[in-house]
Amino acid sequence: MNGPDHQGAGLRAAVHAAIAADGLEDTVRAVLERRFPAEGPGASLDEAGAALGMSPAMVAHIEFAALCTIAGRSRQSAAIPTSSRDPCPGPSHTEGGEA
């Protein structure tokens, strides 16, 4: 996910902006800094987990939640392109409301 071929520029810019904004919990910041470093390739889930003392699955969970939050904040500026299959969906248009 964090390689150079993965729509990297917009995603990395949004992640680095979120890190710089200083509004992240320490654990979330540590995960994002390891997975999306300013220079070079990011750590694998295994590497990040070992360095942070958590399982690779927990690293993936924290990263996914953080990226969903960052993507939600970035939608207005279109910094992260989204597809019709949003991995971080909000409430459905059919849930509890009138169209």
Side-chain angles (χ1 to χ4, degrees), residues 53-80:
M54 61 181 74
S55 71
M58 182 56 74
V59 173
H61 175 79
I62 292 168
E63 178 183 327
F64 180 77
L67 293 178
C68 284
T69 300
I70 292 167
R73 292 177 185 164
S74 299
R75 286 179 202 264
Q76 293 175 358
S77 65
I80 298 176

